[in-house]
Amino acid sequence: MNYFLLLFLSIFFYSCKDSHSNFQIVKSEISKETVEEIIIPKDDSTSLEKYFVSKNLVDLNTIDSSIRVTLLYSTTHNFLQKQIYCGLKKCYLPIEVALKLKKAQEYLKFDFPLYSLIVFDGTRPLSIQKKMWNELVLPNKVKVNYLANPSDLSLHNYGAAVDIGIIGENQVLLDMGTSFDFFGELSEPKKEKIFYESGKLSKEAFANRLLLRNTMVKAGFFSITSEWWHFNYTTKKDAATKFELIQ
């Protein structure tokens, strides 16, 4: 890591420190609230945006302005209950990933014109991945089910993964059975049929998950077994050859 990158990261994390105390956020579950209830702080995110742009990442909404973006790590509505992205409001991705997400939005709106994808997270610098890993208080064997160990890297660190939901009519997030970043078996796609048949996952939530997954897979993404909201653009091996690791 060179001197200038170290300088950037030190300035970035210092500017974020304790800034989450300057705003409020509704504490109801994300899956049951309107997007407008989430208040993103107005902290200066210029440095982080400039860093993303310097890595040839693009603002998703310049590719498709109809996709909603609410980066939950720019709010306190996440598992750390504090903002991590210094109030960043825009989702930056490699152009290939942004174009594929645009295709997913087109597929969704073809069948449901009043629906829209909403992005909860996109590119995540490795330095932030380390911070999240270190601050999450869970046994490592449990933690790895919901957060990639920084030593193994995450596809988010290449901008090759997105966390996604769907907004339905009246700007209400579709019920997916759990909130984003819910650390429990109910959020796991691999067990959702069992939970549906047992009544722990409602028919509506089950159908909404299938809609989200089918839409993203049709556009060329693929899902994982532990989080209904997470979709990958490619494999880690392929990402390492196509994209730059965002430190």
Side-chain angles (χ1 to χ4, degrees):
M1 185 179 294
N2 62 38
Y3 171 79
F4 293 105
L5 181 56
L6 284 171
L7 179 61
F8 163 77
L9 293 175
S10 63
I11 293 172
F12 170 62
F13 285 119
Y14 178 80
S15 65
C16 283
K17 187 178 181 182
D18 294 330
S19 55
H20 62 285
S21 61
N22 296 326
F23 70 100
Q24 295 180 332
I25 182 170
V26 176
K27 292 297 184 180
S28 59
E29 286 190 2
I30 182 70
S31 60
K32 298 180 181 178
E33 67 187 10
T34 60
V35 176
E36 281 68 23
E37 287 179 293
I38 300 176
I39 304 172
I40 298 179
K42 297 181 179 179
D43 297 350
D44 181 15
S45 59
T46 302
S47 296
L48 184 54
E49 287 198 53
K50 287 183 177 178
Y51 177 58
F52 283 156
V53 171
S54 74
K55 298 301 181 180
N56 297 315
L57 303 180
V58 299
D59 173 4
L60 172 62
N61 283 148
T62 64
I63 303 300
D64 190 330
S65 61
S66 70
I67 298 175
R68 298 292 294 271
V69 174
T70 299
L71 300 180
L72 292 182
Y73 298 124
S74 283
T75 76
T76 59
H77 209 123
N78 55 66
F79 66 88
L80 292 178
Q81 298 186 325
K82 65 179 181 180
Q83 67 142 317
I84 304 166
Y85 287 167
C86 279
L88 181 70
K89 296 182 180 181
K90 300 175 182 179
C91 175
Y92 283 88
L93 296 166
I95 183 66
E96 299 96 323
V97 182
L99 288 172
K100 189 168 285 190
L101 203 53
K102 174 181 173 66
K103 183 61 67 175
Q105 176 80 331
E106 291 171 353
Y107 287 139
L108 177 64
K109 283 191 168 293
F110 182 82
D111 293 324
F112 299 91
L114 298 181
Y115 283 16
S116 175
L117 295 176
I118 178 170
V119 178
F120 301 133
D121 194 26
T123 301
R124 181 190 307 158
L126 179 58
S127 52
I128 291 179
Q129 187 80 20
K130 292 177 180 178
K131 179 181 177 69
M132 293 165 69
W133 177 267
N134 291 335
E135 294 191 18
L136 178 57
V137 183
L138 281 175
N140 284 0
K141 64 181 181 180
V142 176
K143 194 185 304 190
V144 293
N145 290 325
Y146 309 103
L147 189 66
N149 190 317
S151 63
D152 295 328
L153 302 179
S154 164
L155 279 168
H156 279 292
N157 306 148
Y158 292 100
V162 289
D163 294 336
I164 294 281
I166 296 177
I167 299 177
E169 298 180 31
N170 302 318
Q171 301 301 301
V172 175
L173 291 160
L174 297 192
D175 180 13
M176 297 291 178
T178 76
S179 61
F180 167 76
D181 265 0
F182 177 80
F183 294 163
E185 291 184 332
L186 193 57
S187 67
E188 299 178 4
K190 66 183 177 182
K191 298 180 179 179
E192 63 192 12
K193 186 175 181 180
I194 295 173
F195 287 132
Y196 168 60
E197 292 173 346
S198 67
K200 293 182 180 179
L201 190 66
S202 71
K203 181 179 180 179
E204 179 185 9
F206 184 65
N208 290 338
R209 288 193 188 186
L210 291 180
L211 173 61
L212 175 62
R213 189 154 60 245
N214 290 340
T215 298
M216 295 295 287
V217 170
K218 186 177 180 180
F221 290 89
F222 57 94
S223 62
I224 62 175
T225 60
S226 58
E227 298 171 345
W228 60 258
W229 56 84
H230 181 103
F231 293 88
N232 292 329
Y233 171 85
T234 186
T235 64
K236 287 184 184 178
K237 182 178 180 179
D238 192 46
T241 61
K242 286 184 175 180
F243 308 123
E244 182 175 354
L245 180 64
I246 307 301
Q247 300 280 355

